[in-house]
Amino acid sequence: DILRAQISTNMMRQGDDTFQIVCVDGSYVYSRLGTYPDGTYLLHYGCRLTLSGKGASVNTDFFEFTPVRGKGNGESLAREGCRFREEDIVVADRAYTSARGIKSVLDAKADFILRIGLSALTLSRTADGKKRVNLAELVAEMNLEENETGEIEVWMKMPNNTWQKVRICTLRKTEAEKEEAVENYKKEIKNKKKRKYKISQE
């Protein structure tokens, strides 16, 4: 309901037009059942949000349990368990931003909105990949004021060494928001270290 209220009514035309948004994430699950050696596993899941002029609904689209460690158990849009349909809009955080995962989404003829880390993708100003550029440079060139948004089109290197055009959108935070984000990041790193220590001790 919140998401639907924020979408322009011009986009929500009367009739059968529908948006299919698939939110993908992963969560650590702690268990005493001994399913996996360290008692911890990952839940990979996708929630499908259907928006139309007639209303909104959300359902679990797919889910999968895996051990935390081991090849193929990481968070990825290229997992076999991820099922995307044509014209889906796939939304995920930066843990899922990789060329391999994006290719999987595009192969399904779906679109994507992903957060991106500074070094997650190989970027170029040109379609031949000869003018490489990093994300920090692109953001600096936008020269945004606080709470101002900007966007730029660049080319991303795909797993088969081709280049795919993508659009990078940026919102500059206020100084207060920036400081809060830094503190939250430090807490997150600290908690991850504690969690790893706890798992190793068990």
Side-chain angles (χ1 to χ4, degrees):
D1 289 340
I2 293 172
L3 183 57
R4 185 184 174 203
Q6 292 178 349
I7 293 179
S8 168
T9 53
N10 293 328
M11 295 177 64
M12 303 301 291
R13 304 171 191 162
Q14 292 183 354
D16 297 327
D17 286 356
T18 302
F19 291 96
Q20 296 286 342
I21 302 172
V22 183
C23 302
V24 182
D25 205 354
S27 299
Y28 285 94
V29 181
Y30 300 94
S31 171
R32 296 183 179 180
L33 300 178
T35 309
Y36 295 112
D38 59 13
T40 309
Y41 50 94
L42 268 173
L43 168 61
H44 309 267
Y45 56 92
C47 295
R48 177 172 296 274
L49 179 64
T50 302
L51 295 172
S52 72
K54 299 177 181 179
S57 65
V58 62
N59 297 283
T60 301
D61 202 45
F62 56 82
F63 67 91
E64 179 185 10
F65 293 99
T66 69
V68 173
R69 301 180 181 84
K71 185 178 179 179
N73 293 332
E75 295 172 311
S76 172
L77 297 176
R79 297 189 60 79
E80 291 185 7
C82 293
R83 297 186 296 274
F84 305 123
R85 308 172 191 170
E86 186 173 351
E87 297 188 356
D88 279 351
I89 302 172
V90 179
V91 180
D93 64 22
R94 61 187 176 187
Y96 290 86
T97 303
S98 69
R100 181 168 171 263
I102 290 173
K103 182 178 184 303
S104 180
V105 174
L106 295 177
D107 286 346
K109 297 183 180 180
D111 294 314
F112 59 88
I113 302 174
L114 305 173
R115 293 183 64 192
I116 180 175
L118 286 175
S119 58
L121 304 174
T122 301
L123 304 173
S124 171
R125 299 183 190 274
T126 58
D128 57 11
K130 292 183 178 180
K131 291 188 178 180
R132 303 290 178 90
V133 63
N134 62 51
L135 182 60
E137 290 177 289
L138 293 174
V139 172
E141 290 171 8
M142 293 182 190
N143 195 28
L144 303 176
E145 301 293 335
E146 289 187 356
N147 287 325
E148 186 180 2
T149 59
E151 63 180 66
I152 189 170
E153 288 188 341
V154 294
W155 296 84
M156 176 194 74
K157 188 176 182 180
M158 300 295 285
N160 56 359
N161 291 321
T162 61
W163 293 82
Q164 170 72 40
K165 183 182 284 188
V166 295
R167 183 163 58 106
I168 294 177
C169 304
T170 305
L171 167 65
R172 180 169 179 176
K173 295 181 177 181
T174 64
E175 285 302 312
E177 290 172 333
K178 178 182 175 181
E179 291 176 5
E180 182 181 1
V182 170
E183 288 302 314
N184 288 338
Y185 176 75
K186 290 179 179 178
K187 290 178 182 178
E188 181 182 346
I189 295 299
K190 186 176 181 180
N191 289 336
K192 282 185 177 180
K193 289 181 178 179
K194 287 183 178 179
R195 180 173 62 212
K196 287 180 180 179
Y197 178 78
K198 180 180 178 182
I199 292 174
S200 65
Q201 291 301 303
E202 290 176 350

